[in-house]
Amino acid sequence: MRDIIKIYPNGVRANREVHFGIRSGEIHALVGENGAGKSTLMKILYGVERPSSGSIFLRGKSVHINSEHEAIALGIGMVFQNFMLVPSFTIAQNVVLGSEPMRGMLLDQRAAVKITNNLARQYGLVVDPTAIVDSVPVGMRQRVEILKALYRGADILILDEPTAVLTPQETRELFAAIRQLVNAGKTIIFISHKLREVMEISDRVSVMRDGQMVGTLHTSDATESRLAKMMVGREVFLQLDKPTKERGVAMLQVRHLEYVNEAGREVVRGVSFNTYSGEILGIAGVEGNGQTELVEVLTGLRKPVAGTVSLGDHSITGLSASAVRLSGVAHIPEDRLTNGVALNASIDENLIVDRYNKPPFSRAGFVSHGAVVKHGEKMIDQYAIRAPDGTLPVGSLSGGNMQKVVVARELSANPKLLIAAQPTRGVDIGATEFMHQQLLKQRNEGVAVLLVSADLAEVMSLSDRLAVMHNGRIVAIITDVRNVSEEEVGLFMLGVKQQTQAEIEANW
Ligand SMILES: Nc1ncnc2c1ncn2[C@@H]1O[C@H](COP(=O)(O)OP(=O)(O)OP(=O)(O)O)[C@@H](O)[C@H]1O
Ligand SMILES: [Mg+2]
């Protein structure tokens, strides 16, 4: 790809004269901060976005890729981060979708299963062809996406953040499959924010920053910190400075909590644990094992069917979200777009939604505009929110900066308990570093922090204790987080291993 420029209709210059070259048969990683332009560049290669200018050469020949269809015809396949499968179809149906083997007017189911099995065997991508996509784990869905691209004849396979949602075991399986694909002559482009993975799997790595290509290195010449510095443009501290800290009282006490969802399924099953002041209790687990619902019950967004929740000496069981908040609980929600911010409201407004009716923001029933603006300025400065001023709608910020608005609001409420759900999902290395420092700062100041994250490396490095959820239950509480391996935690996450009830209770 040469001199690629992409200016979106809204004026954003996502790619600025980018040069990007891949060699046949290599695993080429592409890294960069949020908004650096990685996905845009790959969408141009896959024909779903047109470059404003620039050219693409494939095997020495100039090509024009105007659609996904044309990319596929040229042997280019892409797996997007948000999967595009049909959830109600079987795996085999999804693999062949678009060029189905037919028997008369109907899909030839048996042929589809056979095709899927053959491909799966050939590349070591284990799937169950007759299973409905909706019912299989994320790791398998991803393999289905890859098989689908292979079925359509991909030689160059673009994987956009494929490991973001995988357990260590699944990541290892994916890497084994990637190596097998390369042995079979395929070329892989691998996008990730996880530099450790990039170091492990790639042959070369290209770094983008602010729409430009900063450089391409042989991975053997790279280090995590060198890559981080190239991405961010400054030194980044990858190692967390976590002083030891005596924990305080059991601030949050959860006992035998049960929750049944709208579909009548028990998704939180007899969950009990404490979170102490001055500690970070991590909750690890593959997504979809009840963590989301647990957090929503604790924060008053859903009502439990049984069990108790107390904060200090007070029961907060079944209270409304605003009552829970008033009693001293801050919440960084998993889905910041629906629960975290009001997109059309300004940054200033978002920062005070929970306290607009209190001084200094409200005086004698009137909102003090001056106080709101002043608070906004202070937060933008203190939390390094990248925005010219507080009047901007939050919806126009990048993901990482939206997250900072939420964090600024929640932490400035001086909580007793902070519940952070997936606080760094999809945010880049600079914003992640910031978020981690903030969580540790709260803990060091004596706040009880409950951290729920599907990123195992993250929960393991931040947590003082680690609970693992599987299938709605807490299956382990690990007190010696420093001396447990990711693999072992992964076994708990997959439900292969679990502690006895007595062991868990001893670690409440
Ligand atoms: N369809 C679009 N219309 C307008 N602007 C867009 C569009 N898609 C992306 N952008 C903007 O282009 C820039 C580059 O975005 P892109 O998605 O390529 O970044 P990225 O490197 O993939 O980031 P991330 O790590 O967050 O996935 C960002 O400023 C983004 O807001
Ligand atoms: Mg992207």
Side-chain angles (χ1 to χ4, degrees), residues 8-10 12-15 32-41 43 49 81 160-161 193 426:
Y8 281 109
N10 60 0
V12 172
R13 300 170 70 86
N15 287 166
E33 290 191 286
N34 293 129
K38 306 176 296 290
S39 295
T40 300
L41 188 68
K43 284 177 187 164
E49 289 288 355
Q81 194 179 353
D160 197 347
E161 295 194 44
H193 286 292

Side-chain angles (χ1 to χ4, degrees), residues 279-300:
E279 80 157 354
I280 298 180
L281 173 69
I283 296 197
V286 177
E287 276 182 73
N289 278 278
Q291 304 95 311
T292 303
E293 291 84 357
L294 172 64
V295 166
E296 294 188 355
V297 169
L298 295 178
T299 53

Side-chain angles (χ1 to χ4, degrees), residues 389-462:
D389 64 71
T391 59
L392 227 67
V394 160
S396 67
L397 299 177
S398 77
N401 281 296
M402 265 186 224
Q403 188 73 333
K404 284 185 180 179
V405 172
V406 176
V407 171
R409 180 185 64 224
E410 297 303 308
L411 301 189
S412 60
N414 296 321
K416 295 180 191 141
L417 169 70
L418 169 65
I419 302 180
Q422 320 289 359
T424 60
R425 158 161 323 142
V427 309
D428 62 45
I429 184 162
T432 296
E433 174 197 36
F434 172 85
M435 232 50 90
H436 289 169
Q437 286 166 349
Q438 295 300 322
L439 292 177
L440 280 172
K441 182 159 171 264
Q442 294 294 308
R443 165 226 192 228
N444 296 341
E445 288 170 1
V447 175
V449 180
L450 181 65
L451 168 67
V452 180
S453 174
D455 181 341
L456 191 51
E458 171 173 273
V459 268
M460 288 187 66
S461 65
L462 283 169

Side-chain angles (χ1 to χ4, degrees), residues 57-83:
F57 297 85
L58 195 64
R59 299 178 191 91
K61 273 207 218 91
S62 167
V63 291
H64 294 273
I65 309 173
N66 297 309
S67 67
E68 196 172 325
H69 196 77
E70 291 180 27
I72 292 164
L74 291 167
I76 301 169
M78 178 159 175
V79 176
F80 293 91
Q81 194 179 353
N82 317 327
F83 299 156

Side-chain angles (χ1 to χ4, degrees), residues 102-420:
M102 303 299 277
R103 269 184 92 163
M105 299 285 286
L106 295 172
L107 167 69
D108 186 343
Q109 302 279 3
R110 278 177 53 192
V113 169
K114 201 166 154 209
I115 287 168
T116 305
N117 270 330
N118 286 343
L119 274 174
R121 208 168 309 124
Q122 190 178 348
Y123 296 109
L125 291 155
V126 183
V127 296
D128 173 3
T130 57
I132 302 289
V133 162
D134 212 13
S135 70
V136 305
V138 194
M140 191 179 290
R141 284 186 217 187
Q142 185 171 61
R143 294 194 285 276
V144 177
E145 289 273 13
I146 296 173
L147 287 172
K148 192 174 156 70
L150 294 170
Y151 174 61
R152 301 209 258 174
D155 287 323
I156 300 173
L157 191 60
I158 306 163
L159 304 173
D160 197 347
E161 295 194 44
T163 59
V165 291
L166 302 183
T167 61
Q169 279 84 351
E170 286 172 321
T171 299
R172 214 162 346 97
E173 284 167 22
L174 174 70
F175 283 3
I178 287 179
R179 293 201 176 95
Q180 205 162 332
L181 286 166
V182 167
N183 287 338
K186 308 285 180 192
T187 303
I188 309 286
I189 302 175
F190 173 77
I191 301 181
S192 178
H193 286 292
K194 300 182 186 171
L195 297 180
R196 207 177 56 177
E197 295 179 350
V198 167
M199 294 301 299
E200 180 185 338
I201 191 78
S202 68
D203 300 308
R204 290 197 302 157
V205 49
S206 289
V207 182
M208 290 185 78
R209 183 168 77 228
D210 201 15
Q212 287 172 319
M213 190 58 82
V214 184
T216 298
L217 305 174
H218 284 281
T219 309
S220 52
D221 297 333
T223 61
E224 283 187 43
S225 56
R226 181 165 177 205
L227 291 174
K229 196 173 168 187
M230 286 172 79
M231 281 163 65
V232 183
R234 62 170 171 85
E235 214 65 63
V236 178
F237 299 101
L238 298 167
Q239 281 302 325
L240 286 167
D241 180 22
K242 191 170 130 198
T244 49
K245 163 120 184 107
E246 282 290 307
R247 71 183 192 194
V249 298
M251 181 52 71
L252 173 71
Q253 293 188 53
V254 179
R255 290 294 178 273
H256 314 295
L257 201 64
E258 307 264 339
Y259 175 73
V260 176
N261 70 7
E262 298 77 15
R265 218 161 64 82
E266 271 183 73
V267 284
V268 175
R269 311 202 286 169
V271 165
S272 303
F273 63 88
N274 294 340
T275 310
Y276 296 83
S277 293
E279 80 157 354
I280 298 180
L281 173 69
I283 296 197
V286 177
E287 276 182 73
N289 278 278
Q291 304 95 311
T292 303
E293 291 84 357
L294 172 64
V295 166
E296 294 188 355
V297 169
L298 295 178
T299 53
L301 293 165
R302 298 172 189 248
K303 302 276 171 244
V305 295
T308 59
V309 182
S310 15
L311 188 74
D313 299 331
H314 303 282
S315 167
I316 56 167
T317 319
L319 293 187
S320 70
S322 62
V324 170
R325 174 172 280 278
L326 273 178
S327 62
V329 179
H331 177 206
I332 299 171
E334 168 178 339
D335 186 349
R336 58 179 165 255
L337 293 183
T338 41
N339 293 329
V341 290
L343 291 172
N344 295 323
S346 71
I347 297 171
D348 286 345
E349 289 164 338
N350 269 283
L351 285 167
I352 57 143
V353 277
D354 60 335
R355 60 198 87 146
Y356 67 92
N357 54 358
K358 285 192 229 140
F361 306 112
S362 167
R363 289 232 164 78
F366 290 98
V367 173
S368 156
H369 185 66
V372 173
V373 171
K374 214 169 130 210
H375 178 70
E377 278 169 5
K378 193 171 138 205
M379 292 293 111
I380 287 175
D381 180 50
Q382 200 171 324
Y383 289 87
I385 297 164
R386 257 193 250 169
D389 64 71
T391 59
L392 227 67
V394 160
S396 67
L397 299 177
S398 77
N401 281 296
M402 265 186 224
Q403 188 73 333
K404 284 185 180 179
V405 172
V406 176
V407 171
R409 180 185 64 224
E410 297 303 308
L411 301 189
S412 60
N414 296 321
K416 295 180 191 141
L417 169 70
L418 169 65
I419 302 180

Side-chain angles (χ1 to χ4, degrees), residues 85-90 93-94 131-134:
L85 302 172
V86 184
S88 58
F89 281 17
T90 66
Q93 283 168 335
N94 268 286
I132 302 289
V133 162
D134 212 13

